[in-house]
């Protein structure tokens, strides 16, 4: 009998081996950079799950998506912005 990859692995094993990413628009984004609500217009640092994908919320939660970002997430995003734009005028 031929065994398929799916037969040998649990859903969590498959997610771990593929990486935990969510397709937001035309970009694959790490699931820990995506929340259910509260991150509008923060791309490419933080993302809110698009409304049309919310019916798959249970899948994205398994990948690591959370309800809201923590203070630490915002601090890391600001540090990344500083690194990306250091010495340049924004706007």
């Amino acid at each position: 009998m031929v065994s398929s990859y799916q037969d040998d692995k649990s859903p969590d094993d498959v997610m771990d081996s593929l990486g935990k990413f969510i397709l937001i628009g035309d970009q694959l984004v790490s699931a820990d950079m995506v929340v259910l609500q509260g991150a509008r217009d923060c791309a490419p640092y933080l993302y809110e799950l698009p409304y049309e994908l919310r019916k798959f919320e249970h899948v994205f939660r398994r990948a690591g998506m959370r309800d809201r970002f923590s203070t630490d997430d915002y601090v890391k995003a600001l540090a990344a912005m500083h690194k990306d734009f250091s010495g340049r005028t924004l706007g």
Side-chain angles (χ1 to χ4, degrees), residues 21-64:
F21 296 94
I22 299 172
L23 186 63
I24 305 288
D26 62 350
Q27 294 183 335
L28 279 176
V29 177
S30 178
D32 64 351
M33 295 174 57
V34 181
V35 292
L36 189 59
Q37 56 184 320
R40 293 190 177 113
D41 300 324
C42 296
Y45 303 98
L46 303 171
Y47 297 84
E48 182 174 351
L49 187 69
Y51 180 78
E52 61 272 9
L53 295 178
R54 291 190 183 188
K55 61 185 168 188
F56 304 109
E57 173 185 338
H58 63 285
V59 174
F60 299 126
R61 285 188 185 279
R62 286 184 70 129

Side-chain angles (χ1 to χ4, degrees), residues 63-81:
M65 182 191 77
R66 297 169 282 154
D67 287 329
R68 290 183 164 75
F69 287 117
S70 68
T71 302
D72 191 51
D73 294 318
Y74 288 109
V75 170
K76 288 178 184 178
L78 288 170
M81 287 181 220

Side-chain angles (χ1 to χ4, degrees), residues 13-25:
D13 291 338
V14 172
M15 289 183 104
D16 287 340
S17 66
L18 295 175
K20 296 181 178 184
F21 296 94
I22 299 172
L23 186 63
I24 305 288

